[in-house]
Each structure stands twice: as structure tokens, then as C-alpha cells.
Amino acid sequence: MTKKTTFKELIGEISDRTDKSHAFTENFMRELVGIIEAGLQSNGSVTIGGFGKFELRWMNERSGINPQTGEEITIPGQNKVVFKPYKALREHVNKPYAQMEAQLLDEGPDSSTGSGSTQSPEKTKKEKTGEDFISEKGSVKDEPFQLEADDKEEEDIDNLVYERPSPIPHTERKTGITKKNNFQSPSPTQVNKSKLAEQVQEESEFRWSYVAVVIVILITIFALIYFSRPDEEPSDPVVTQPPAVTETEPNLSTSNEEPNTEPVESETESIPVVIEPGQSLWSLADLHLDDAYLWPWIYHVNRDNLTDPNVIRTGNELTLPVPSDKDQLTEDENLEVANGYLDVYSWYRDTDSENAKYFLWGAGTYHEDVLEEVEGSVNYNDLFFARNR
Amino acid sequence: MTYSELIDQLSEELGLTKTETKFLVKETVSEFTTKLGENSGFTIPNLGTFKARVKEVQKVYSPHYDKYMLVPPKRVVDFSAGTSLKNKFKFVNPDND
């Protein structure tokens, strides 16, 4: 239970602190009390900075019962001497309980379990007292209190001495449940409820954030796998050809820049080639014919198997024409190339591409006769363009 | 009565400087607070008793959350005036009223 310090002990300690004699301190205390009395007499209130405020509070007349006789009596209106501790004192005294915060229970006023506050006074008597909390928490160092701040004038604080505690103000609580909560609710049912409420809240708070993070991680992993997968059997054709339009005038005579990278069999007219990933007619022509601009020739040779000149499928087979002499195409070979360009032109023409005419023109560059041959069947504007470019 | 008024009067009574009285009052108050912090009560003759009391756990209703709450225990300061003081002011109206 609470300890008690005798007045003598108190005087002793104060005189130690102030380095004065016992007699002096005792006199000082007496005087102090006198002044407080005088202050209450004159003002009705006396403030002591850093400590508290003594006040006279008026209690209205009320009726009561004589506890001995049981008869009703009127208690007259009277003054009551009251002390309001200031913040420093309050906080120092409440130190061991300072970290504790209120707990929300999972019951509302309409639930059957909640029976209102009438329960609490009876319950609390059987519950653990605050003393037990202190011993549980371990030793809290009681440092001698020292007023650090300067003398404070009147502070306006809530009237707390004889009132029930008010709920924690809204600003202090974002979530209903606090985590730094070593305050145990005493009765068993309350233990279950409060712990359950706390656990449920904590878990649900935690759980969803973890789940969300895991989902995001999984999605990124799947995305990476999907996009970095090598094209073994792609569903869509990946290969496109660079449009012929972006090029400058095809320079045919000086088309052979690089030495042969691959020995080409000159005896046979064509060789089969399997399309590899990333290849195009352009790249194949460049690789095997040493002139990428001859790609329509390949297109022409494989006309039966190809539709869109921009699209060839990996894994399919193409027949590659083989020029007799890489440096100089024969006239027939040129014709073949021109025909290839014609095929490309037709395809683009059919798709109403703006670039179609360039291919007609290209055909003409390889072999003039081609333009003559198609005169009747070909778009007049394109032919005009091809001839006069 | 404000704090400064109190110091003024006290210093006059004791015949000490204001700074000195301030220091004395400060130390006294610190001592009171320490004692209460240690959960030990004390009585000042002719004034009253100061005690530290633990307010038990209480179940209160929070209209904001529409739920009951358990308010944690709290240690507060109790003061009960001494008889002489009580009687002195019981039916007396303070001068400034």
C-alpha cells in the first residue's frame, strides 16, 4: 500500500536540499501554510508554480441522509478546499503508467455482453490493483523530482482530481489499438476479448499489407519470365523488314561491300535455308547474297510460301537463289530481282500502301523491261513515278 | 493569489530575498513531487494530506468508436484539507466574491 512520510522526515529532506537547519525549514513550512491560508482568504485561490493550485470550491446545498439515524438532512452550501496538481506533478506521479494506453473492446453498447459501467466498480475491486502492475513491470527508478523550468504562472488544466477519466482524445489515436501495450486487462473474459480484439486488429492490419506485397512480387516475376523467354515457338511472327522508303537511292552498282562471309555454292541455283530467329529477307539477302537490296529476289523465289514481304516465320524453310557471280548479276538474275520488286509492289499496292510506287520504281532500276511489261495492268501514277523519279 | 504574490508575501514574512524564497519554495515543491512519485503520502500540519492514489482500470464507453474501452490504471494526486483549514473556509465567503 501507499507509504507515508512523516512531517519530520519531510522537513529533514527539505533542509538537506536547501542546506538549512531543521528549525528554519519548519518555520518556513509554517509560514508557507499561513500564506496559503491568507491567499485563500483573500482570493479564493493560491497557485504554486510547478506544483499546483489551491482553490475554494463552492458546493451547493444538497440533501443527504444522516447515516446514524437514517433521516433526511440538508447539507448546507459550503466551500471546499481543493488542490489541482499541475502538469509536471501529474506526469511525474503517473510515470509508471505513462506508456499504457486505452484499449478498445469489441463490444458496443447494444451487445449483450456489455452491461455498462455499473459492472466496473465491482469488478475492479477483485482485479489486480495498480500496485501489481508496478511490480510486474519491474523497478521504475524514482528519481528525485527537480523542477527544471522557471516558475510557472497559473496554468489552465483540466479538472482531474475528482473526475472519472475521459476517453483518450481523438488526436492521439489513429488506430483503435496500440501496440506498445503491456497493460493487461484483469478479468478473464476481458482478457480474452481485449487480447482477441488486439490480435485481430494487429493481424488484419499486418496481413493485408504482406499479401499485397507478395502479390506484387509475383506479378513482377511472371512479367519478367514472360518477356525474357526466348522465342522458341512464338505465336506471332516477330520479324519485320525495314521499309525500303527510308533508304536513300539504292546504289546497285556498288552494292557489294563486304567480302564473302560464307562460301556460296555457285553450281546450284538455289539452296534451302531455315529461317532463324531475328532474320528477315533483308538480313538473309545481306548474308547470303551480299546485298540486302536483293531481298525481293528471295521474296520472288518463295512467292508461293510468303505473303507479307515483311514477315517470315522462324523455323520455316526458304529457297535462296544463288547468283552465279556475286559481284555482277546476270541479266536474267536482274530480271528476277525486278520481278521480285514487282511482287512486293503488288502486295503493297493491294494493301494501299503509300510506299508501293517505290517498289515499282525499284523494279525498274533492276530491269527496265519490267516497267514496259506491266504498263497496262499497273496504276498509272505509280508507273509515272517509277519512270521519272 | 498568484505565485509572485505568494513569493512576495513569503519573503516579507521570512525576511529573505525573493530569490531565496523562490529557491526554497522550488525545493519544497520538488520534494513534495518526489515523495508523491514514490507513492508515499505526507501531511502538512494545518494544511492537509497529500496522497498518491492509483485509479483502477475502468470500462468506459467511447461515443466516437461506439464501443467500450478499457482505460488503463493511472496514478493521481489526492489532497484532503486539514480540519482546521476546512472549517475556516466552510461557510466563509472569500473576500473578493
Side-chain angles (χ1 to χ4, degrees), chain A residues 91-271:
Chain A
E91 285 182 354
H92 180 80
V93 165
N94 194 38
K95 234 186 192 173
Y97 303 94
Q99 310 96 290
M100 296 186 186
E101 294 183 34
Q103 259 184 343
L104 260 189
L105 295 178
D106 221 6
E107 32 175 300
D110 19 78
S111 64
S112 55
T113 48
S115 55
S117 53
T118 50
Q119 259 190 17
S120 38
E122 291 146 31
K123 264 194 179 167
T124 51
K125 281 178 193 163
K126 299 169 196 164
E127 294 155 359
K128 283 192 267 181
T129 65
E131 310 300 327
D132 301 332
F133 282 105
I134 300 171
S135 52
E136 274 171 8
K137 277 179 57 93
S139 59
V140 176
K141 266 199 173 174
D142 292 321
E143 300 156 10
F145 182 79
Q146 194 66 38
L147 262 185
E148 310 247 327
D150 282 337
D151 302 324
K152 291 175 192 164
E153 290 306 320
E154 291 181 336
E155 289 173 350
D156 213 12
I157 55 166
D158 305 293
N159 189 358
L160 64 73
V161 180
Y162 295 97
E163 271 187 5
R164 289 183 58 199
S166 53
I168 309 294
H170 300 165
T171 49
E172 286 179 24
R173 320 186 93 252
K174 300 263 184 276
T175 61
I177 300 299
T178 63
K179 293 185 180 118
K180 43 168 188 171
N181 199 343
N182 36 16
F183 144 63
Q184 291 172 20
S185 54
S187 76
T189 49
Q190 279 185 338
V191 167
N192 292 338
K193 275 180 224 153
S194 59
K195 275 199 171 164
L196 205 64
E198 186 189 330
Q199 273 173 6
V200 166
Q201 280 256 9
E202 275 192 314
E203 278 172 18
S204 54
E205 273 182 49
F206 268 115
R207 190 187 284 158
W208 286 115
S209 56
Y210 282 157
V211 167
V213 167
V214 166
I215 287 172
V216 167
I217 290 171
L218 285 174
I219 288 169
T220 44
I221 290 171
F222 281 132
L224 285 170
I225 292 171
Y226 181 73
F227 286 119
S228 67
R229 198 189 292 171
D231 301 318
E232 297 132 357
E233 291 173 353
S235 51
D236 294 315
V238 178
V239 178
T240 55
Q241 278 211 0
V245 187
T246 58
E247 303 143 17
T248 53
E249 275 194 33
N251 207 339
L252 303 169
S253 49
T254 60
S255 57
N256 202 355
E257 312 95 4
E258 298 154 346
N260 288 353
T261 52
E262 217 182 324
V264 177
E265 292 165 288
S266 47
E267 290 136 288
T268 58
E269 278 189 2
S270 61
I271 49 167

Side-chain angles (χ1 to χ4, degrees), chain A residues 341-357:
Chain A
Y341 270 93
L342 259 188
D343 290 336
V344 175
Y345 162 76
S346 313
W347 193 87
Y348 276 113
R349 181 77 258 146
D350 288 337
T351 57
D352 274 328
S353 170
E354 274 197 17
N355 301 323
K357 58 188 182 231

Side-chain angles (χ1 to χ4, degrees), chain A residues 8 69 74 140 161 222 234 332 352 382:
Chain A
K8 273 204 173 146
T69 60
T74 353
V140 176
V161 180
F222 281 132
D332 287 335
D352 274 328
D382 294 340

